[in-house]
Amino acid sequence: MSSDNSAKEALHWAKTRYLSIWVLIIWFIFSFVVHLFAKSLNEFSLNGFPLGYYFAVQGSLIIFVVLIVVQNLLQDKIDNETGLSSE
Amino acid sequence: MKGNFIDNLPKVYGLYTGGFIIFILLMALFEQMGMGADLIGILFVAFTIVIYAGIGYLSRTMQVSAYYVAGREVPPLFNGMATAADWMSGASFVALAGGIYFGGHGYLAFVVGWTGGYVLVNSLMAPYLRKFGCYTVPDFIGTRYGGNLARFIAVVILVVASFTYVTAQINASGTIAARALQIDFAYGVWFGLLGILLCSMLGGMRAVTWTQVAQYIVLIIAYLAPVIWMSNVQGFGIIPHFSYGDAVQRIGELEPMLGVGEAATESFSGRRVLTTLHNAPGDAMAGWKFVTLAFCMMAGTASLPHILMRYFTTPSVRAARVSVAWSLFFIFLLYFTAPALATLTKLQLLDPELATAVIGKAIEDVQNLTWVQKWTNVGMLAVSDSNGDGIVQINEFFMRPDIVVLATPEIAGLPAVISGLVAAGGLAAAMSTADGLLLAIANALSHDLYYKIIDPKADTRIRLIVARVLLIVIGVIAALVASLQLTGILGAVAWAFNFACSGLFFPLVLGVWWKRANRPGAIAGMVLGFLTGSLYLWYVRTGGTPILGIDHLRFGMIGMPVSLIAMIVVSLATEEPDEETQRMVDATRNPSGRAILSAEH
């Protein structure tokens, strides 16, 4: 493998790792933090739902779907920029 | 039709969906003309099973890569549907809404856990395992860490986790088939197994993929149609998902008036009265229990081989990622419906202002309702005037959690055709998951144990025959265990996730994300994590006091940390992986270029 390619791989991996860490931070907040504070969040309401309850039945789920879609778009960008796209 | 099968997929499944809807309308018509509900149920179950078996037969193959990874040509959208069917088990379909009905906020940890896990799958696992080009999950462990011992241990953990899960699915298929076809449960189990094997035996992963897509279409229609119909009939809004917040608040008002929380003074086997508040998150301990359960389910999602192997079937790394997004979207459709269903069903039973209410009504009136009689006769429901006041109280209405989904159409007064549809949907959910699991087990045994460890010189024909024989043998053993009916459906399902994450989560993640991880470390991580988790399960199940509220549903919270620490300590204490392995890890992280393992291996 040429040194040029391994430099590209290193850059690609650094960017990928950075993106993944951000994705996992957001995942952590909506998987755990909001549900730990569900009781306090229930004081607020969204579209008729108590907010803490809303996160457990819809909010977190919608955020997970959007999170994966956005992550994939950004990952595609990283792949294309470093010339390491799979397609 | 012109062109090859893959290009025609949208047309094929579009026709199939149209055909299924016509079948539903036809059944509705027959019902109007006087056909009995029993016959409609039988037709729904028979019709769908014949279709799945037909797809299974048409997908037969004698090629290794078609058998193990569907030829790696499944487009992301369709792989997403197949994964969703693979994922959503009989438990998701039948038991989830009932669990939310009875379990309140604490139970929603399953909903969060079983969706959030896909963020881990997408970030940590799927694209890299796809690039690796493995046939099975132990194939990755065996190649990344090297050596037959690591491969063998991964096979053992896979078999334990998946087998725990598959017995529950065969049990569920048996229950539904038995009820719809009016046969004994003992025969129902074998009938269910026959259907499952017809889908997978001839074509392996290829057949399972295309039947799972068909099963997803049936199960999602069967789940959404009754809820939306019920909501329209009962005036809860055209699409209830966005407007049931008021129902949640109304239940909150009714609960203290009706005395929710008072224990029952009688008991009926398997049936419970509602004692948990619908939306009461509770104290710090309850919060801790919520997040630990959610985390175990998420890590388990990212370690369960029958899910991970679905992403081996896409044409490229990018397609694998896109397909994770589709998977979660298709799963989301069901999971964000289940709480709506649980809430609206509860409101219909509780709210005295609604015609469907049973709580607070005279006991004779309730006992004369058709649906109450029907479910009481099969031992799923009981109404008893414990305090002798002639009125049904909240702690006098006993119900099995499973029937929330199955009985809702009847509670809301929908036609029988809906009940038949729901039975077909439940069966599709249970069968598709059972197929994925059986195939995961049989493939690990035939590819990793037989071909890679016992007889590396075996030729293709022998390998594929061994794979099929194993599929039948494992299916029969699972059906025998299922017919013993050892645990409730959901207990065993949660265990499977905990077994998988205790033993496999960190060896898989660190295999990609930590170059320094080596063979002794992986072996220590798998063995110690899995054994500690299992011993802890045994400890809490034999009467031990759970530590920090970590009970049998969350024993991964014990197994995973042990696995992580063991893997890091042992890896650092032993030699770092050789140059070749490190290069392999670099190549795994790089989405472009050829797979690590050759297409036929």
Side-chain angles (χ1 to χ4, degrees):
Chain A
M1 201 176 283
S2 68
S3 64
D4 176 44
N5 205 19
S6 55
K8 276 201 297 192
E9 280 189 347
L11 179 68
H12 177 269
W13 186 243
K15 288 184 170 186
T16 302
R17 202 166 45 193
Y18 183 76
L19 172 63
S20 306
I21 289 169
W22 274 107
V23 167
L24 292 179
I25 289 171
I26 296 168
W27 165 81
F28 184 85
I29 294 170
F30 290 98
S31 296
F32 308 122
V33 180
V34 294
H35 304 299
L36 278 175
F37 297 102
K39 204 171 190 171
S40 321
L41 289 172
N42 275 344
E43 303 292 320
F44 305 92
S45 103
L46 182 77
N47 188 22
F49 289 90
L51 192 58
Y53 185 83
Y54 182 78
F55 273 118
V57 296
Q58 275 182 25
S60 291
L61 281 63
I62 292 171
I63 286 164
F64 293 146
V65 176
V66 173
L67 183 60
I68 291 184
V69 171
V70 172
Q71 180 187 21
N72 286 347
L73 292 175
L74 294 173
Q75 184 71 54
D76 284 347
K77 213 173 130 207
I78 293 174
D79 292 359
N80 291 337
E81 277 171 5
T82 48
L84 297 179
S85 171
S86 63
E87 283 169 9
Chain B
M1 242 176 278
K2 274 179 270 176
N4 67 25
F5 175 62
I6 298 292
D7 295 333
N8 277 319
L9 279 173
K11 212 189 274 175
V12 171
Y13 283 104
L15 282 172
Y16 163 81
T17 309
F20 184 61
I21 291 171
I22 290 171
F23 176 78
I24 299 170
L25 296 175
L26 212 59
M27 287 297 119
L29 188 69
F30 287 166
E31 189 186 350
Q32 295 300 312
M33 289 160 57
M35 189 190 270
D38 294 344
L39 186 56
I40 290 178
I42 293 173
L43 285 176
F44 260 104
V45 167
F47 176 74
T48 49
I49 289 189
V50 166
I51 290 199
Y52 307 148
I55 298 173
Y57 175 75
L58 290 174
S59 309
R60 65 194 181 280
T61 184
M62 273 314 267
Q63 273 180 310
V64 176
S65 89
Y67 188 89
Y68 283 113
V69 288
R72 296 199 204 277
E73 57 176 12
V74 184
L77 175 89
F78 291 94
N79 196 49
M81 282 197 228
T83 311
D86 198 26
W87 173 248
M88 289 188 287
S89 56
S92 294
F93 193 95
V94 178
L96 191 69
I100 298 169
Y101 182 102
F102 283 99
H105 186 264
Y107 197 91
L108 294 173
F110 281 114
V111 174
V112 174
W114 284 340
T115 48
Y118 281 85
V119 177
L120 296 180
V121 172
N122 198 46
S123 298
L124 305 175
M125 309 274 192
Y128 307 106
L129 295 182
R130 171 61 191 87
K131 175 63 197 297
F132 208 82
C134 37
Y135 279 169
T136 64
V137 167
D139 211 10
F140 171 76
I141 299 274
T143 315
R144 163 65 177 85
Y145 296 112
N148 283 343
L149 184 59
R151 189 185 286 268
F152 177 73
I153 295 165
V155 171
V156 171
I157 298 172
L158 179 154
V159 170
V160 172
S162 306
F163 196 80
T164 315
Y165 203 162
V166 81
T167 52
Q169 298 315 309
I170 292 184
N171 189 340
S173 327
T175 310
I176 297 166
R179 200 172 315 140
L181 302 178
Q182 324 249 326
I183 50 179
D184 235 28
F185 173 76
Y187 297 113
V189 165
W190 295 102
F191 184 84
L193 177 66
L194 186 69
I196 291 161
L197 288 177
L198 280 173
C199 297
S200 53
M201 214 183 75
L202 295 171
M205 195 61 170
R206 181 156 87 180
V208 166
T209 301
W210 304 125
T211 44
Q212 280 176 339
V213 175
Q215 285 159 336
Y216 177 76
I217 293 168
V218 169
L219 84 85
I220 203 67
I221 293 177
Y223 205 85
L224 295 183
V227 179
I228 291 173
W229 191 345
M230 178 262 281
S231 173
N232 282 282
V233 170
Q234 301 289 333
F236 296 124
I238 298 167
I239 297 181
H241 304 72
F242 302 108
S243 55
Y244 73 95
D246 300 335
V248 175
Q249 311 240 19
R250 173 77 179 140
I251 289 174
E253 290 165 17
L254 289 169
E255 279 167 341
M257 295 196 271
L258 299 174
V260 175
E262 282 172 38
T265 52
E266 294 177 80
S267 72
F268 294 89
S269 73
R271 284 157 278 183
R272 301 160 60 182
V273 299
L274 180 65
T275 54
T276 311
L277 298 179
H278 198 62
N279 173 28
D283 53 8
M285 187 60 177
W288 164 252
K289 293 193 85 158
F290 189 106
V291 298
T292 47
L293 182 59
F295 183 60
C296 287
M297 294 306 115
M298 290 181 183
T301 305
S303 326
L304 273 169
H306 76 290
I307 292 302
L308 295 176
M309 75 178 189
R310 285 244 43 100
Y311 300 108
F312 304 164
T313 64
T314 58
S316 70
V317 174
R318 179 175 289 185
R321 291 197 299 252
V322 175
S323 122
V324 180
W326 278 119
S327 307
L328 183 57
F329 173 73
F330 289 128
I331 291 164
F332 164 80
L333 288 181
L334 189 144
Y335 279 31
F336 101 125
T337 305
L341 174 62
T343 305
L344 294 177
T345 301
K346 191 183 277 185
L347 188 68
Q348 290 186 73
L349 294 175
L350 262 51
D351 193 340
E353 289 176 14
L354 298 177
T356 47
V358 293
I359 310 300
K361 291 280 169 69
I363 193 105
E364 297 92 47
D365 292 350
V366 172
Q367 280 170 342
N368 282 335
L369 291 169
T370 324
W371 67 269
V372 171
Q373 285 177 345
K374 179 183 161 192
W375 293 100
T376 306
N377 288 342
V378 287
M380 301 265 189
L381 194 83
V383 188
S384 172
D385 195 8
S386 310
N387 65 0
D389 67 352
I391 306 285
V392 180
Q393 308 291 342
I394 191 82
N395 63 348
E396 295 172 350
F397 186 74
F398 300 79
M399 192 159 94
R400 246 179 76 154
D402 297 355
I403 71 168
V404 170
V405 167
L406 303 172
T408 292
E410 295 159 31
I411 297 172
L414 303 185
V417 64
I418 292 290
S419 301
L421 177 63
V422 170
L427 194 62
M431 282 178 67
S432 55
T433 305
D435 257 323
L437 289 162
L438 277 183
L439 199 63
I441 299 173
N443 285 2
L445 293 178
S446 67
H447 180 72
D448 294 289
L449 194 62
Y450 174 72
Y451 178 59
K452 290 286 179 179
I453 298 178
I454 295 172
D455 183 10
K457 292 192 195 77
D459 73 37
T460 308
R461 213 172 56 85
I462 301 289
R463 285 169 69 187
L464 292 180
I465 289 171
V466 168
R468 287 173 174 125
V469 171
L470 281 166
L471 199 63
I472 297 176
V473 170
I474 293 157
V476 168
I477 297 173
L480 282 173
V481 175
S483 58
L484 299 175
Q485 289 189 285
L486 296 175
T487 42
I489 291 180
L490 210 62
V493 170
W495 290 4
F497 284 78
N498 283 290
F499 279 128
C501 69
S502 296
L504 291 174
F505 184 68
F506 285 109
L508 287 171
V509 172
L510 297 181
V512 176
W513 289 82
W514 194 39
K515 262 192 204 172
R516 185 66 180 76
N518 63 11
R519 182 189 312 164
I523 291 173
M526 285 191 286
V527 171
L528 292 176
F530 182 70
L531 279 185
T532 320
S534 308
L535 284 173
Y536 185 79
L537 171 65
W538 180 73
Y539 163 76
V540 288
R541 289 301 275 182
T542 50
T545 317
I547 302 163
L548 293 170
I550 296 170
D551 58 13
H552 71 109
L553 293 176
R554 341 171 138 66
F555 67 84
M557 287 308 292
I558 301 291
M560 275 191 284
V562 171
S563 172
L564 176 64
I565 294 167
M567 193 162 167
I568 291 177
V569 170
V570 175
S571 284
L572 290 177
T574 47
E575 261 181 63
E576 77 177 311
D578 58 25
E579 192 105 339
E580 196 188 338
T581 308
Q582 304 220 15
R583 270 206 306 275
M584 181 161 80
V585 177
D586 280 329
T588 308
R589 296 168 175 182
N590 177 350
S592 68
R594 274 207 310 239
I596 312 290
L597 293 165
S598 64
E600 301 262 333
H601 66 277

